Amino acid sequence: MRIRPTLSWTPPADLPPGTTEVGPVVEALGTGGVLVLSGAGISTESGIPDYRGEGGSLSRHTPMTYQEFTSSARARRRYWARSHLGWRAFHRARPNAGHRAVAAFGRHGLLTGTITQNVDGLHQAAGSQGVVELHGSLDRVVCLSCGASTARRDLARRLEEANAGFDPVPAGINPDGDADLTDEQVGDFHVVPCAACGGILKPDVVFFGEAVPPPRVEYCRELVRRAASVLVLGSSLTVMSGLRFVRQAAAAGTPVLIINRDPTRGDQHARTRVALPLGEALTTVADRLGVPLDDGAEDRGPGRTGAAQRAGTTGGAAVPTGPGIPE
């Protein structure tokens, strides 16, 4: 069943206010057993805009839906032209202080896992291990006919060859890797088929209106069950794909803490929401815990993550990585 995507949410008037005090986050991490759930807001300081914050991409851009992509060749041409340019920007992006802090907390044994709603690979690039990519990764491409999975860099090379000289200037880059281009800029961009069977290629990400694969959801639910607390970083929790884990934790009495400058759909379930920029907040938390951000860090850059992350594994257990997206 395909589900109508949820793109917006209006905060109720009775939401608890945010704070600038990071003490509860320091306490939770100091105790250990923290499960991180991250969203687009953690990557804004790397130059990738979020969806719903100030200047968020939803104010000018409607994300591609699964239904539109699969039913329209014109939509696929527009998507791949825009994504081809967006991929270049994503490939150049580098982890920021927020990503490095999460990786450092993991290296010091303070985390039980990291679930990200992002498709940019920046957690892994910062050195985080066993990241669960809830919505997949732009680093991979799948064929909707034969199921073959290939590296995005290989498709990028084929698209470059098929569209020599294609280099329009986009109005912006979105958190799903889609660049803002007009129809005139897209022009007659040539989409290449699957090299194995000639089928339709799709990025290995969960589009809006598509469901996250159930085995992946259940794996994340198990991570929530094991966690001593859940720390949400840079997610508005507007879509149910992330909010359900916050609701699960709260229902079980597991503390939920949120760092997000704006109100979130999960605030009513949280012990606290720290209304600070993520880089600033997490750097402060790391300083108070005596955790250096860059000890042993390895910035590999998106698209150059280790084999374990590409395969979608964590802690030796397989994480389902097939196509799927936020409800």
Side-chain angles (χ1 to χ4, degrees):
M1 179 178 67
R2 302 303 175 191
I3 304 170
R4 182 183 178 88
T6 300
L7 299 180
S8 63
W9 166 77
T10 301
D14 60 349
L15 274 185
T19 178
T20 58
E21 175 51 55
V22 300
V25 179
V26 174
E27 181 180 355
L29 282 163
T31 303
V34 176
L35 173 64
V36 165
L37 171 63
S38 72
I42 199 170
S43 293
T44 57
E45 293 173 41
S46 293
I48 299 174
D50 63 12
Y51 284 111
R52 300 171 181 86
E54 183 178 354
S57 67
L58 286 182
S59 63
R60 65 178 192 276
H61 162 75
T62 300
M64 176 65 68
T65 65
Y66 181 86
Q67 294 84 350
E68 185 181 11
F69 184 87
T70 55
S71 64
S72 170
R74 180 180 179 184
R76 290 193 293 275
R77 176 182 295 111
R78 184 174 70 251
Y79 174 83
W80 279 119
R82 294 159 63 118
S83 184
H84 182 51
L85 290 186
W87 165 249
R88 296 176 184 173
F90 266 51
H91 206 58
R92 290 193 297 267
R94 288 296 178 267
N96 61 54
H99 299 110
R100 296 197 299 274
V102 172
F105 297 149
R107 286 193 298 274
H108 282 74
L110 308 182
L111 306 182
T112 58
T114 299
I115 302 169
T116 186
Q117 296 172 287
N118 300 338
V119 297
D120 54 35
L122 290 174
H123 277 300
Q124 297 95 318
S128 287
Q129 299 294 313
V131 178
V132 180
E133 296 173 317
L134 188 62
H135 297 158
S137 172
L138 285 175
D139 193 33
R140 302 182 298 269
V141 180
V142 296
C143 175
L144 295 181
S145 297
C146 70
S149 177
T150 55
R152 180 62 181 267
R153 63 179 177 272
D154 295 336
L155 175 63
R157 182 172 58 251
R158 294 178 63 204
L159 288 173
E160 292 281 359
E161 294 170 353
N163 297 276
F166 180 78
D167 195 24
V169 178
I173 303 296
N174 304 304
D176 55 3
D178 195 5
D180 285 329
L181 295 178
T182 64
D183 289 342
E184 289 75 19
Q185 288 176 307
V186 170
D188 58 354
F189 185 86
H190 182 64
V191 178
V192 299
C194 172
C197 75
I200 294 172
L201 293 176
K202 174 185 175 291
D204 191 5
V205 300
V206 178
F207 282 161
F208 280 87
E210 189 179 3
V212 177
R216 193 182 305 170
V217 173
E218 179 52 35
Y219 185 89
C220 292
R221 287 198 181 279
E222 179 59 27
L223 291 179
V224 175
R225 285 190 283 269
R226 298 176 188 172
S229 60
V230 173
L231 176 60
V232 180
L233 303 176
S235 176
S236 68
L237 299 170
T238 296
V239 295
M240 189 56 66
S241 61
L243 179 62
R244 59 183 151 202
F245 304 126
V246 167
R247 288 178 172 175
Q248 175 191 345
T254 302
V256 174
L257 305 97
I258 299 173
I259 303 180
N260 201 68
R261 283 188 293 184
D262 299 318
T264 83
R265 198 177 171 191
D267 282 9
Q268 62 184 312
H269 305 293
R271 297 279 180 93
T272 187
R273 176 176 61 85
V274 179
L276 289 173
L278 275 162
E280 173 187 340
L282 291 178
T283 298
T284 299
V285 170
D287 285 345
R288 291 195 188 178
L289 290 169
V291 174
L293 261 58
D294 296 307
D295 62 321
E298 179 186 358
D299 181 354
R300 289 173 290 216
R304 289 184 291 278
T305 55
Q309 284 92 348
R310 287 199 303 271
T313 60
T314 178
V319 179
T321 58
I325 304 194
E327 290 94 326

Coordinates of all heavy atoms in Angstrom, one line a residue, residues 1 7-8 43 49 82 94 154 156 164 171 177 184 197 200 219 227 243 265 283 294 299 306 308 314 316:
M1 N 0.8 -1.2 0.0 CA 0.0 0.0 0.0 C 0.9 1.2 0.0 O 1.8 1.3 0.8 CB -0.9 0.0 1.2 CG -1.8 1.2 1.3 SD -2.9 1.2 2.8 CE -1.7 1.4 4.1
L7 N 4.0 16.2 4.5 CA 5.1 17.2 4.3 C 5.1 18.3 5.3 O 6.1 19.0 5.4 CB 4.9 17.8 2.9 CG 5.0 16.8 1.7 CD1 4.8 17.5 0.4 CD2 6.3 16.0 1.7
S8 N 4.1 18.5 6.0 CA 4.0 19.7 7.0 C 3.3 19.3 8.2 O 2.6 18.3 8.3 CB 3.4 20.9 6.3 OG 2.0 20.6 6.0
S43 N 22.8 18.0 9.1 CA 23.7 18.2 8.0 C 23.7 19.6 7.4 O 24.4 19.9 6.5 CB 23.3 17.2 6.8 OG 23.6 15.9 7.2
P49 N 20.8 21.8 3.0 CA 19.7 22.4 3.7 C 18.7 21.4 4.2 O 18.7 20.2 3.8 CB 19.0 23.3 2.7 CG 19.3 22.6 1.4 CD 20.7 22.1 1.5
R82 N 18.1 16.6 -12.2 CA 18.3 17.4 -10.9 C 19.2 16.6 -9.9 O 20.1 17.2 -9.3 CB 17.0 17.7 -10.3 CG 16.1 18.6 -11.2 CD 14.6 18.5 -10.9 NE 14.3 18.9 -9.5 CZ 13.6 20.0 -9.2 NH1 13.1 20.7 -10.1 NH2 13.3 20.3 -7.9
R94 N 31.2 17.6 3.5 CA 32.0 17.0 4.5 C 31.4 17.1 5.8 O 30.6 18.0 6.1 CB 33.4 17.7 4.6 CG 34.3 17.4 3.3 CD 34.6 15.9 3.3 NE 35.4 15.5 2.1 CZ 34.9 15.1 0.9 NH1 33.6 15.0 0.8 NH2 35.7 14.8 -0.1
D154 N 29.2 5.0 -10.4 CA 29.2 4.3 -11.7 C 28.1 4.9 -12.5 O 28.3 5.2 -13.7 CB 29.0 2.8 -11.6 CG 30.2 2.1 -10.9 OD1 31.3 2.7 -10.9 OD2 30.0 1.1 -10.3
A156 N 26.9 8.0 -12.1 CA 27.3 9.3 -12.4 C 28.2 9.4 -13.6 O 28.1 10.3 -14.5 CB 28.0 9.9 -11.2
A164 N 27.0 15.0 -22.2 CA 28.2 15.8 -22.3 C 27.8 17.3 -22.3 O 26.9 17.7 -23.1 CB 29.0 15.5 -23.5
A171 N 19.3 26.5 -8.6 CA 18.9 27.5 -7.6 C 19.2 27.1 -6.2 O 19.3 27.9 -5.3 CB 17.4 27.8 -7.8
G177 N 19.1 15.3 -2.1 CA 20.0 15.3 -3.2 C 19.5 15.8 -4.5 O 20.2 15.7 -5.6
E184 N 13.3 24.1 -18.4 CA 14.2 24.5 -19.5 C 15.6 24.1 -19.2 O 16.3 23.7 -20.2 CB 14.1 26.1 -19.6 CG 12.8 26.6 -20.2 CD 11.7 26.6 -19.1 OE1 12.0 26.5 -17.9 OE2 10.5 26.7 -19.6
C197 N 19.9 -5.1 -17.4 CA 18.7 -5.6 -18.0 C 17.9 -4.5 -18.8 O 16.9 -4.8 -19.5 CB 17.7 -6.2 -17.0 SG 16.9 -5.0 -16.0
I200 N 14.4 0.3 -15.3 CA 14.4 1.6 -14.7 C 15.3 1.6 -13.5 O 15.1 0.8 -12.6 CB 13.0 2.0 -14.4 CG1 12.1 2.2 -15.6 CG2 12.9 3.3 -13.6 CD1 10.6 2.4 -15.4
Y219 N 14.1 -3.8 12.9 CA 15.4 -3.7 13.4 C 15.6 -2.4 14.3 O 16.2 -2.5 15.4 CB 16.4 -3.7 12.3 CG 17.9 -3.8 12.7 CD1 18.5 -5.0 13.0 CD2 18.6 -2.6 13.0 CE1 19.8 -5.0 13.4 CE2 19.9 -2.6 13.4 CZ 20.5 -3.8 13.7 OH 21.8 -3.8 14.1
A227 N 17.7 0.6 24.1 CA 18.3 1.8 24.5 C 17.9 2.3 25.9 O 16.8 2.1 26.4 CB 17.9 2.9 23.5
L243 N 9.1 9.5 13.8 CA 8.3 9.8 15.0 C 7.8 8.5 15.7 O 7.7 8.5 17.0 CB 7.0 10.6 14.6 CG 6.0 10.9 15.7 CD1 6.7 11.8 16.8 CD2 4.8 11.6 15.2
R265 N 7.5 17.5 16.2 CA 6.3 16.8 16.4 C 6.4 15.8 17.6 O 5.5 15.2 18.1 CB 5.9 16.0 15.1 CG 4.5 15.5 15.1 CD 4.2 14.9 13.7 NE 2.9 14.2 13.7 CZ 2.5 13.4 12.7 NH1 3.3 13.1 11.7 NH2 1.3 12.8 12.8
T283 N 29.1 20.1 20.5 CA 30.5 20.4 20.9 C 30.5 20.7 22.4 O 31.5 20.3 23.1 CB 31.0 21.6 20.1 OG1 31.0 21.3 18.7 CG2 32.4 22.0 20.5
D294 N 37.7 14.7 17.5 CA 38.5 14.1 16.3 C 39.5 13.1 16.7 O 40.4 12.8 15.9 CB 39.1 15.3 15.6 CG 38.1 16.2 15.0 OD1 37.2 15.8 14.3 OD2 38.2 17.4 15.3
D299 N 37.8 11.1 8.1 CA 36.9 11.7 7.2 C 37.1 11.1 5.8 O 38.0 11.5 5.1 CB 37.1 13.2 7.2 CG 36.2 14.0 6.3 OD1 35.4 13.3 5.6 OD2 36.2 15.2 6.3
G306 N 32.9 2.7 4.5 CA 33.5 1.3 4.5 C 32.5 0.3 4.0 O 31.3 0.6 3.9
A308 N 31.2 -2.2 5.4 CA 30.1 -2.6 6.3 C 29.0 -1.6 6.2 O 27.8 -2.0 6.2 CB 30.6 -2.6 7.7
T314 N 25.4 -3.5 11.0 CA 25.7 -2.8 12.3 C 25.8 -3.9 13.3 O 25.0 -4.7 13.5 CB 24.7 -1.8 12.7 OG1 25.1 -1.2 13.9 CG2 23.3 -2.3 12.8
G316 N 27.4 -6.5 13.5 CA 27.4 -7.9 13.0 C 26.1 -8.4 12.6 O 25.9 -9.5 12.1

